[in-house]
Amino acid sequence: MIALHRVSKVFRVGPVKVPALSDVSFKIGKGEFAVLCGPSGAGKTTLLRLLYRDELPTEGRIDVADYNLTSLPRSEVPALRRAMGIVFQDAKLLPGRTVYENIAFVLRVLGTPRPEITPRAFGALKAVGLSARAQAYPAQLSQGEAQRAALARAIVKEPMLLLADEPTGNLDEGIASEIFDLLKDIWSRGTTVLLATHQAALAERLNRRTLVFQGGRLVKDDG
Amino acid sequence: MTASVLGFLAGEALRDLVRAGWIAISSVLLTTLSLLTIGGFWVFSTNLGDAVARWREQLRVIVYLKEEPAPAAVGALMDRIRSEGGVARIEFVSKAEALRRLKRELGAQAAVAGMLPNPLPASLEVTPRASASTPDATGALIQRLASMPEVSEVQGGTEWVERLAQFQRLLQLIGLGIGGVLVLAAVLTVTTATTLVLYARRDELDIMRLVGVPEAVIRLPLLLQGIGQGLLGAILALLGLIVGYRLARPGVEPLVSLTLGLPHMTFLSGTAIVTLLGSGALLGAVGGWLAKGRS
């Protein structure tokens, strides 16, 4: 599903070169659940941005499903992204729309037939245990609920791959644990999950393959 | 793209237009003003063009003859003039016919004309072909006719018609110039309105990009919004032109009839109306497309 071969990424800040990833190689199989672990600045977010083609690697080759991201034309990036769901630390919900509308919005802009929108949106809300809050606005949600809504929005289009970038970064341990359980539920239904987190203890409790990053290098892979 | 996505995006475009508020209203009004200016000049120029065309049709070159030719020689003389080229029609006016016409024009004073020996020369009224009714071509024709031995004098010319045609072209240029500046201002205002909408919707657009909506679909509501503003401006301009024309016509038409010799004023043709509306939509589309946002 995911293959990185000697991938490096260097950002330029004016004349200064800032290395974010150095010579990273690994493979993640279809249906696998892997955790990218490491402190802030380890390169986890950069790696995820490379995977959804928000950035191009400076060196190396990245393959996601059937896409070679290094040579993928810009016009095909939407097709790649339609195959994946993405969640961030900040839930990025649209403030002027209810939870249900936030999820239905994705289906509508992707051209889902109208009769399918409501059942699918409520199916996703049910999967994250948020059906009762469907008509609430993001400002009325707790941080944990907002992250659940973001997860529902990510899975409503039934992606092959779910990328989660510090989804529990703002949450206390109990709620973070619930979100991790949700991610495991999603994985158990066949979605490949790649979770980036700095919460090593929580990640350990997941008991899944862990890739540890430090200073842009992959220092440990227990897979 | 399915019809439901298109419908949804059109709805979003309408919502954006409302969201843009005063800036959207000002871009619609600027579009109206620019197209009203161009349309106003267009109506005036169309009528002037009609007058020029009418006058070109009525243009005559009068060839006065030294002697009245014998009836049998008139045909040969007309054939020789026709062979000069650029001639559409020729009418022979004998001395007697010229006197009859004078008497008709003099009316009550015709008795005076009847007491004198007929002083009027016979003449030929030559109508140049439309293609030859330019100052140069008519001047050349007049020169050729004047050099004929039977001819005493040639009168006629197109300079004044041409001057009017040049005035019409100048008027079109002034209209296009003023309208062009206003169009530019309208495009910039539509662009600003759309950029503000882009800014207001940046979170939505980010989500759309993240979930894999193609860039063209993301920009479509912005384009539709621009087209909507431009088209609305054009419709208002057209309504303004129609109302203005109807109000001004009773007062202006007699003046136009007196000065330009046009029996009736005309409004814009169907093609011109479609062009005006299309220009508004295009102007809005360009403004919407030029709006910059994160991509």
Side-chain angles (χ1 to χ4, degrees):
Chain A
M1 170 62 76
I2 298 172
L4 278 83
H5 180 70
R6 309 204 66 173
V7 170
S8 296
K9 177 67 186 177
V10 177
F11 288 105
R12 281 176 183 274
V13 185
V16 184
K17 288 181 179 178
V18 182
L21 283 174
S22 304
D23 200 19
V24 175
S25 299
F26 65 83
K27 282 184 182 176
I28 291 172
K30 194 174 178 201
E32 203 174 335
F33 189 133
V35 182
L36 306 176
C37 205
S40 292
K44 306 181 301 291
T45 297
T46 302
L47 180 54
L48 293 187
R49 286 178 68 191
L50 290 174
L51 291 178
Y52 63 85
R53 246 304 289 272
D54 196 33
E55 291 286 348
L56 273 168
T58 312
E59 276 176 44
R61 176 185 166 127
I62 304 173
D63 290 278
V64 174
D66 296 327
Y67 299 97
N68 171 2
L69 303 198
T70 326
S71 61
L72 189 71
R74 210 175 160 76
S75 59
E76 285 185 38
V77 172
L80 165 80
R81 291 189 183 170
R82 283 197 291 275
M84 52 175 68
I86 309 167
V87 271
F88 300 93
Q89 182 169 349
D90 157 27
K92 289 189 191 295
L93 296 174
L94 302 172
R97 297 177 192 257
T98 64
V99 169
Y100 165 78
E101 285 166 350
N102 263 277
I103 292 152
F105 175 77
V106 171
L107 295 173
R108 294 194 96 167
V109 293
L110 288 176
T112 308
R114 198 174 270 269
E116 286 181 30
I117 291 175
T118 303
R120 280 180 63 179
F122 274 101
L125 283 171
K126 193 179 168 195
V128 300
L130 212 60
S131 305
R133 304 288 280 148
Q135 297 311 320
Y137 283 88
Q140 299 168 312
L141 300 177
S142 68
Q143 284 186 325
E145 286 174 328
Q147 204 53 270
R148 281 165 187 267
L151 264 176
R153 186 178 59 192
I155 62 168
V156 74
K157 57 192 177 108
E158 294 161 4
M160 289 191 296
L161 172 65
L162 179 66
L163 303 177
D165 186 9
E166 297 279 7
T168 58
N170 291 332
L171 308 177
D172 62 46
E173 204 174 304
I175 297 169
S177 192
E178 282 176 26
I179 297 292
F180 282 178
D181 287 344
L182 269 176
L183 287 172
K184 276 178 93 172
D185 280 351
I186 292 163
W187 164 68
S188 67
R189 282 184 230 126
T191 306
T192 306
V193 177
L194 191 57
L195 162 70
T197 180
H198 68 276
Q199 293 162 302
L202 276 171
E204 209 168 301
R205 257 188 269 160
L206 275 168
N207 199 24
R208 306 306 321 163
R209 177 182 171 190
T210 305
L211 297 95
V212 181
F213 283 81
Q214 220 157 33
R217 291 187 178 275
L218 177 60
V219 294
K220 186 183 159 198
D221 181 357
D222 62 12
Chain B
M1 197 188 314
T2 63
S4 79
V5 178
L6 255 181
F8 176 66
L9 294 175
E12 291 290 298
L14 193 66
R15 215 173 70 150
D16 287 347
L17 202 61
V18 175
R19 207 186 269 179
W22 277 108
I23 188 90
I25 292 172
S26 58
S27 59
V28 168
L29 290 180
L30 256 176
T31 308
T32 304
L33 194 64
S34 56
L35 294 179
L36 199 59
T37 307
I38 291 176
F41 273 98
W42 201 343
V43 171
F44 197 55
S45 168
T46 301
N47 284 285
L48 206 56
D50 287 350
V52 168
R54 201 177 154 88
W55 287 346
R56 276 211 173 110
E57 264 174 33
Q58 290 174 353
L59 196 75
R60 300 281 183 277
V61 172
I62 312 294
V63 180
Y64 293 107
L65 302 173
K66 288 175 183 162
E67 302 285 339
E68 180 161 334
V74 170
L77 180 61
M78 284 165 76
D79 285 345
R80 270 174 51 216
I81 290 175
R82 264 192 210 97
S83 70
E84 293 292 332
V87 174
R89 218 169 36 247
I90 305 175
E91 190 187 347
F92 174 69
V93 181
S94 64
K95 284 170 70 79
E97 173 59 22
L99 188 62
R100 260 196 302 280
R101 286 185 184 179
L102 179 69
K103 280 180 178 171
R104 225 178 12 247
E105 277 172 31
L106 287 176
Q109 295 160 311
V112 180
M115 286 189 289
L116 298 167
N118 184 357
L120 302 173
S123 64
L124 290 159
E125 287 182 4
V126 178
T127 306
R129 269 201 207 112
S131 58
S133 61
T134 61
D136 286 350
T138 313
L141 179 67
I142 288 170
Q143 252 183 354
R144 289 198 300 276
L145 294 174
S147 67
M148 291 171 73
E150 299 90 340
V151 174
S152 68
E153 192 187 345
V154 183
Q155 277 183 3
T158 58
E159 283 79 7
W160 62 278
V161 178
E162 277 315 305
R163 272 201 291 277
L164 201 71
Q166 277 168 2
F167 177 64
Q168 183 205 0
R169 282 192 285 273
L170 180 70
L171 204 70
Q172 283 171 339
L173 278 176
I174 292 170
L176 281 175
I178 297 174
V181 171
L182 289 168
V183 160
L184 194 66
V187 167
L188 290 176
T189 319
V190 172
T191 304
T192 308
T194 314
T195 305
L196 284 179
V197 167
L198 264 173
Y199 184 74
R201 287 189 61 204
R202 65 196 181 284
D203 293 339
E204 249 171 59
L205 302 184
D206 282 349
I207 296 295
M208 286 169 87
R209 287 188 181 105
L210 275 177
V211 300
V213 178
E215 199 59 32
V217 177
I218 290 174
R219 292 196 77 90
L220 187 66
L222 307 172
L223 195 66
L224 290 176
Q225 185 210 113
I227 291 173
Q229 288 176 58
L231 201 57
L232 189 60
I235 291 169
L236 288 177
L238 186 62
L239 288 175
L241 281 172
I242 291 170
V243 170
Y245 178 77
R246 291 213 169 155
L247 288 177
R249 191 177 167 176
V252 175
E253 198 166 65
L255 195 69
V256 166
S257 176
L258 193 71
T259 53
L260 299 180
L262 276 180
H264 301 292
M265 277 177 70
T266 51
F267 190 61
L268 296 176
S269 66
T271 315
I273 288 171
V274 171
T275 307
L276 202 69
L277 293 176
S279 303
L282 184 69
L283 176 161
V286 171
W289 195 253
L290 284 178
K292 291 282 175 214
R294 282 186 290 174
S295 62

